[in-house]
Amino acid sequence: MTDRATMYDKLAELIGPFNKKAVELSEATTFAGDLEWDSLTVMDFVAEVEDEFDIVISMNQQAEIENVGQLVDAVTKLVG
């Protein structure tokens, strides 16, 4: 079981290489709006997260995750 703060830190670390505009991350940072990720970047990032935590994030879950905080909650739930 991983606590939420640790999960946030790990996911922020994974976001780093994809954060081309050096946007300051917060729970409210959105992937499409703030980070300006296109669908290919999202797919590459999701693959990284899935590999890191040995989980599968379904397409339905991906569609519901719009910001960093939602991602932290979703991955924490899948890992837990």
Side-chain angles (χ1 to χ4, degrees):
M1 187 67 109
T2 304
D3 73 20
R4 199 168 188 290
T6 303
M7 181 64 72
Y8 176 88
D9 290 343
K10 184 61 187 169
L11 288 169
E13 183 181 313
L14 291 175
I15 289 169
F18 296 90
N19 188 358
K20 303 296 185 206
K21 296 192 173 270
V23 172
E24 188 171 333
L25 295 180
S26 74
E27 296 260 340
T29 302
T30 61
F31 299 106
D34 297 324
L35 296 173
E36 298 180 12
W37 288 2
D38 59 17
S39 58
L40 181 59
T41 303
V42 169
M43 294 305 289
D44 288 344
F45 176 69
V46 168
E48 285 284 324
V49 172
E50 289 176 333
D51 289 348
E52 178 69 30
F53 295 101
D54 195 27
I55 58 173
V56 174
I57 303 173
S58 72
M59 293 301 271
N60 287 343
Q61 287 173 306
Q62 290 178 40
E64 294 173 4
I65 298 170
E66 296 179 1
N67 64 40
V68 174
Q70 291 171 332
L71 177 64
V72 171
D73 292 337
V75 174
T76 300
K77 190 174 181 179
L78 288 168
V79 169

